Amino acid sequence: MSIAKILVPVRGDGKGENVLAHAAAVARRHNAHVEAVHCRARPQDLIPHGVFVPQSLRKQLEAQAVELANVEEASLQGLFRELMGRLGLDIVETGVPPRDRPTASWFEEQGKQMDVIRSHGRLADLVAVAKPDRDRNLGLNTLKAALFHTGRPVLVCPPTSAPDTLGQRIAIAWNGSSQAARAVALTLPLIQAAKEVVV
């Protein structure tokens, strides 16, 4: 059992670079693959509900939403490629990523971010998200989706830079519950790779 795939949902809120840096630090220790998933809102979801919008205006708004999403997507993907180069992760475009080195890929899916995290997170070994910013009301739903809908371990990344020693010292809060046992079982690859574990 090992950490093979780390899911990182990215939004374009300025926190993605830090979360990707944390995920890359874990990936380098385990020769894992970082999958950055950008959730693209559906144009129809951006039109207010309960408000009459003429069909011609609706089409115009949807076309503008697609155009803006394309620009945002291209910008985020460019930043992702640049960052992966700086962090030393090879980008894999297609196929199964190799396990002899850390790699990364970019994936885009349309829909609500919570649904995207739920479906992709269940297929990952670890989900990395930013620590929520309560002042700006950002990231809480992402964290909840990762914690309560994936069944996978979640790495909550603080706004500080990722240390090179990330994962070398691990603390386990053990209370004998089934939740604590599940958390330990799911994170055994991280625990086994640590230099020090404190219970």
Side-chain angles (χ1 to χ4, degrees), residues 17-74:
E17 184 173 333
N18 185 49
V19 178
L20 284 165
H22 280 79
V26 175
R28 284 192 300 269
R29 286 178 61 83
H30 296 272
N31 283 336
H33 179 73
V34 174
E35 183 178 85
V37 177
H38 178 244
C39 182
R40 177 184 268 213
R42 295 178 301 182
Q44 59 267 33
D45 290 340
L46 301 175
I47 296 174
H49 293 288
V51 177
F52 174 73
V53 178
Q55 189 64 22
S56 60
L57 180 59
R58 179 180 294 273
K59 285 183 181 178
Q60 183 181 1
L61 290 172
E62 287 180 1
Q64 287 176 343
V66 168
E67 189 176 320
L68 285 171
N70 287 340
V71 170
E72 180 187 44
E73 170 74 16

Side-chain angles (χ1 to χ4, degrees), residues 169-177 180-181 184 187-188 191 194-199:
R169 297 183 71 214
I170 293 180
I172 298 172
W174 182 260
N175 62 3
S177 68
V184 168
T187 56
L188 274 178
I191 293 168
K195 289 185 176 178
E196 181 182 0
V197 178
V198 177
V199 180

